[in-house]
């Protein structure tokens, strides 16, 4: 039953003075950007139509991270090769993470309109290839191709927001983009299962074609081309080394089962390769004129701390989603449908938190307080979730999950908004790509660690329950056939096994809280 890869498948103003460690300071870079900023689309109506197309693009590209989850059993039934089950999902995450910072740099060098159109076209071609796959191997390769476009869509769209909206406006509109990012994670499994059951599993990929064509057409007609004022110089070697380093890290995190474990000889070899590629990449970036990721970004204390916040928010907002569903079904004994319904208050909480925080940042120009509140909320709610047991009332579970969603939503847009505000305007694209990468990378590594913690906990409990030889392989049907008292023992065992993962998540929230508290309370400009 337990397979790590199944989980592959986001008034405060007074408190600002309580949590700030520094006096508010105005960002010179932000002030300059505000005074000089001219929207890429001056006409308000046309700008919002273009933004709507971008939101659909974000939803479409991020949906494919999760939409495959509920369709995989059907795919395996047709193609076989169950040992490659997890790689259908992992291949997408692997490919998209590898290209995120590269797309950010390409947008800075060549202009974002044609870069985003190329990414969408590649994503649609990959989607078509997935829908026409004839074997598990061809599907996995097609997923990589699809991801090479999907990763570019996500990064470039977030970067275009900086071209469309002034610094004081970005938080509000970034909250909508972040909401799409989180909503896709919750809608994906439901939509994938529904389409797969009604029209076959190939439809989950082919549905991207008409949607993507609409997005592509809208961007072509509505988004002007802005040519950068510098001569493009591509750092090919740096891009290759960075892609290899990122691929190695994600392979290590996502491929634990294939490698034999995170700390197996093969796993250690992969992570050592990532370290070597990373060192070589730094050496190259120090020497080239146009590095794929300027190293001076990391010397900016605000950006470095926000990257830590971004990684921990990914681990908490994206990495925990399916483990919450797992807890509901195993510890509380809910059906998959009931567990899915309980995510409605979580999704509503994310929406309320993201939109409220975005509006207040828009009006005040301050974002630090929301990152602090988000991490405190995550820390407390994750600790509460760790105490959910078989006897916990459903209403209380819904309340805790809703509070967790609000906390996630409040801090969703802070890393991207803060990093875009702190980075030089010429590097907004690559800075946005780095922020998005750290969020997805944090989620990927956390998913693997969470799964390893559950597997370890269950392995220690195997054989301790009469009639159950191995909890990790116990199916729902087999569990339902057992006596009631045995089922109660199984629920208690799962509760004990899942607690360490929530304690680990609480530890990550504490790291994120420390990083958030150490941020300067920067005052971004607001329109008077």
């Amino acid at each position: 039953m337990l397979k790590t890869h199944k989980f592959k498948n986001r008034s405060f103003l007074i408190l600002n003075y309580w949590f700030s460690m520094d006096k508010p300071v105005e960002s010179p870079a932000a002030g300059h950007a505000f005074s000089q900023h001219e929207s890429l689309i001056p006409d308000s109506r046309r700008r919002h139509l273009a933004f709507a197309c971008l939101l659909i693009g974000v939803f479409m590209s991020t949906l494919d991270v999760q939409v495959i989850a509920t369709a995989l059993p059907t795919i395996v039934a047709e193609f076989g090769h169950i040992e490659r089950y997890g790689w259908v999902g992992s291949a997408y995450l692997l490919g998209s993470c590898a290209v995120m910072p590269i797309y950010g740099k390409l947008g800075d060098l060549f202009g974002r309109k044609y870069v985003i159109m190329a990414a969408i076209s590649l994503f649609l071609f990959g989607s078509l290839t997935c829908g026409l796959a004839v074997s598990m191997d061809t599907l996995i390769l097609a997923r990589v191709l699809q991801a090479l476009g999907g990763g570019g869509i996500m990064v470039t769209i977030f970067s275009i927001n900086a071209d469309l909206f002034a610094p004081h406006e970005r938080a509000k509109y970034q909250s909508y983009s972040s909401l799409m990012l989180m909503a896709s994670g919750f809608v994906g499994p439901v939509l994938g299962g529904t389409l797969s059951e009604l029209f076959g599993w190939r439809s989950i990929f082919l549905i991207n074609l008409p949607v993507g064509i609409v997005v592509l057409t809208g961007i072509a007609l509505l988004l002007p081309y802005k040519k950068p004022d510098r001569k493009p110089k591509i750092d090919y070697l740096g891009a290759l080394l960075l892609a290899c380093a990122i691929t190695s890290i994600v392979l290590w995190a996502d491929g634990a089962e294939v490698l034999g474990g995170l700390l197996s000889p093969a796993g250690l070899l992969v992570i050592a390769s990532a370290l070597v590629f990373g060192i070589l990449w730094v050496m190259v970036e120090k020497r080239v004129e146009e590095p794929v990721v300027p190293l001076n970004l990391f010397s900016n204390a605000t950006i470095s701390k926000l990257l830590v916040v971004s990684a921990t928010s990914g681990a908490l907002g994206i990495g925990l989603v399916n483990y919450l569903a797992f807890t509901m079904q195993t510890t509380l004994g809910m059906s998959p449908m009931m567990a899915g319904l309980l995510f409605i208050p979580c999704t509503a909480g994310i929406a309320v938190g993201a939109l409220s925080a975005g509006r207040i940042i828009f009006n005040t120009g301050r974002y630090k307080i929301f990152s602090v509140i988000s991490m405190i909320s995550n820390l407390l709610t994750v600790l509460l979730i760790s105490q959910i047991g078989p006897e916990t009332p459903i209403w209380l579970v819904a309340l805790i999950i809703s509070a967790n969603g609000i906390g996630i939503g409040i801090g969703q847009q802070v890393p991207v908004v803060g990093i875009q505000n702190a980075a030089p305007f010429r590097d907004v694209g690559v800075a946005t790509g780095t922020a998005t990468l750290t969020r997805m990378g944090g989620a990927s590594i956390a998913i693997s660690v969470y799964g390893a913690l559950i597997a370890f906990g269950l392995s220690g409990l195997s054989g301790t329950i009469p009639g159950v030889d191995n909890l990790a392989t116990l199916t729902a049907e087999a569990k339902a056939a057992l006596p009631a008292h045995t089922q109660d023992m199984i629920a208690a065992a799962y509760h004990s096994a899942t607690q360490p993962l929530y304690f680990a998540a609480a530890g990550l929230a504490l790291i994120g809280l420390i990083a958030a508290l150490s941020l300067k309370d920067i005052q971004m400009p607001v329109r008077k």
Side-chain angles (χ1 to χ4, degrees):
M1 181 177 181
L2 176 66
K3 294 286 184 182
T4 301
H5 53 245
K6 288 186 179 179
F7 301 108
K8 305 284 190 297
N9 294 326
R10 337 252 14 188
S11 151
F12 300 126
L13 297 179
I14 296 175
L15 296 177
N16 189 29
Y17 296 98
W18 297 357
F19 293 115
S20 296
M21 294 182 66
D22 306 281
K23 292 182 178 180
V25 295
E26 185 171 345
S27 168
H32 177 74
F34 177 76
S35 62
Q36 298 295 324
H37 186 275
E38 294 182 7
S39 175
L40 192 61
I41 306 178
D43 180 71
S44 176
R45 182 179 179 183
R46 182 179 175 185
R47 181 165 65 248
H48 285 91
L49 282 174
F51 182 67
C53 288
L54 298 178
L55 288 182
I56 297 172
V58 170
F59 187 80
M60 178 182 68
S61 63
T62 55
L63 188 70
D64 268 62
V65 177
Q66 298 283 359
V67 75
I68 193 71
T70 44
L72 272 175
T74 305
I75 296 173
V76 170
E78 179 174 335
F79 289 151
H81 296 291
I82 193 171
E83 72 279 2
R84 297 171 196 170
Y85 182 106
W87 280 104
V88 179
S90 298
Y92 189 87
L93 189 62
L94 193 72
S96 59
C97 285
V99 298
M100 281 180 181
I102 297 172
Y103 268 104
K105 187 65 176 182
L106 290 175
D108 289 336
L109 289 176
F110 297 101
R112 303 188 220 288
K113 176 174 181 174
Y114 295 124
V115 170
I116 185 63
M117 291 181 68
I120 293 173
S121 300
L122 185 57
F123 177 81
L124 295 181
F125 180 69
S127 298
L128 176 63
T129 308
C130 287
L132 299 177
V134 295
S135 67
M136 189 65 84
D137 289 337
T138 57
L139 179 59
I140 291 171
L141 291 174
R143 286 284 282 172
V144 173
L145 180 62
Q146 186 189 35
L148 295 180
I153 293 174
M154 194 185 312
V155 169
T156 311
I157 284 177
F158 285 156
S159 301
I160 290 174
N161 286 348
D163 293 333
L164 294 179
F165 304 107
H168 75 290
E169 297 179 301
R170 288 175 198 159
K172 182 175 72 172
Y173 290 98
Q174 191 65 48
S175 67
Y176 300 135
S177 300
S178 297
L179 188 59
M180 291 296 101
L181 184 68
M182 297 305 301
S184 64
F186 291 99
V187 173
V190 177
L191 184 62
T194 302
L195 287 175
S196 181
E197 183 174 340
L198 294 178
F199 306 108
W201 65 265
R202 297 177 190 274
S203 65
I204 68 175
F205 300 113
L206 298 179
I207 192 65
N208 288 328
L209 298 180
V211 176
I213 290 172
V214 170
V215 174
L216 192 62
T217 303
I219 290 175
L221 295 176
L222 297 172
L223 193 68
Y225 172 63
K226 181 180 179 181
K227 185 178 180 180
D229 57 359
R230 53 178 163 166
K231 184 178 180 181
K233 293 183 179 180
I234 302 177
D235 175 20
Y236 293 103
L237 181 57
L240 177 62
L241 289 171
L242 180 60
C244 289
I246 294 170
T247 300
S248 299
I249 293 172
V250 179
L251 174 62
W252 173 76
D254 270 15
E257 293 186 6
V258 175
L259 299 173
L262 296 177
L263 300 180
S264 67
L268 293 175
L269 179 61
V270 170
I271 202 64
S273 299
L275 182 61
V276 171
F277 285 128
I279 292 173
L280 292 175
W281 171 70
V282 171
M283 293 172 63
V284 169
E285 299 301 88
K286 286 181 176 180
R287 298 174 180 273
V288 296
E289 183 177 347
E290 280 283 2
V292 65
V293 178
L295 297 180
N296 60 6
L297 288 179
F298 302 106
S299 64
N300 183 310
T302 297
I303 291 178
S304 297
K305 292 169 185 177
L306 284 170
L307 289 176
V308 174
V309 172
S310 181
T312 52
S313 67
L316 296 165
I318 302 173
L320 272 181
V321 169
N322 286 323
Y323 291 97
L324 291 174
F326 177 75
T327 297
M328 293 177 193
Q329 294 180 61
T330 55
T331 301
L332 301 179
M334 295 181 184
S335 66
M337 179 178 292
M338 184 60 189
L341 290 175
L342 265 185
F343 274 104
I344 294 177
C346 183
T347 306
I350 291 172
V352 170
L355 297 178
S356 300
R359 175 66 64 176
I360 297 174
I361 294 173
F362 170 73
N363 290 326
T364 67
R366 295 180 184 169
Y367 58 79
K368 171 183 175 176
I369 183 62
F370 297 99
S371 186
V372 172
I373 293 175
S374 176
M375 287 301 166
I376 291 176
S377 175
N378 282 321
L379 176 59
L380 296 178
T381 53
V382 166
L383 289 174
L384 288 174
I385 291 170
S386 73
Q387 301 306 308
I388 291 176
E391 305 301 322
T392 306
I394 297 299
W395 66 267
L396 182 56
V397 175
L399 185 63
I400 295 172
I401 294 296
S402 178
N404 179 251
I406 292 173
I408 292 170
I410 286 173
Q412 266 305 297
Q413 66 268 31
V414 169
V416 171
V417 169
I419 286 174
Q420 287 183 343
N421 179 67
F425 191 76
R426 72 195 303 270
D427 293 325
V428 161
V430 69
T432 304
T434 305
T436 309
L437 172 64
T438 55
R439 176 179 292 176
M440 298 304 293
S444 176
I445 293 173
I447 285 170
S448 188
V449 172
Y450 296 154
L453 289 171
I454 291 183
F456 178 77
L458 291 179
S459 65
L461 295 171
S462 294
T464 61
I465 301 175
V468 180
D469 295 328
N470 190 342
L471 276 173
T473 59
L474 181 66
T475 64
E477 293 77 10
K479 178 183 174 182
L482 294 171
H485 71 278
T486 303
Q487 293 187 35
D488 291 341
M489 293 176 66
I490 292 172
Y494 275 118
H495 175 58
S496 175
T498 54
Q499 274 191 321
L501 92 84
Y502 292 115
F503 292 147
L508 292 174
L510 182 59
I511 293 172
L513 176 59
I514 293 171
L517 285 169
S518 66
L519 288 168
K520 287 185 177 180
D521 186 22
I522 291 174
Q523 170 77 59
M524 296 190 299
V526 295
R527 188 177 297 279
K528 304 298 183 182

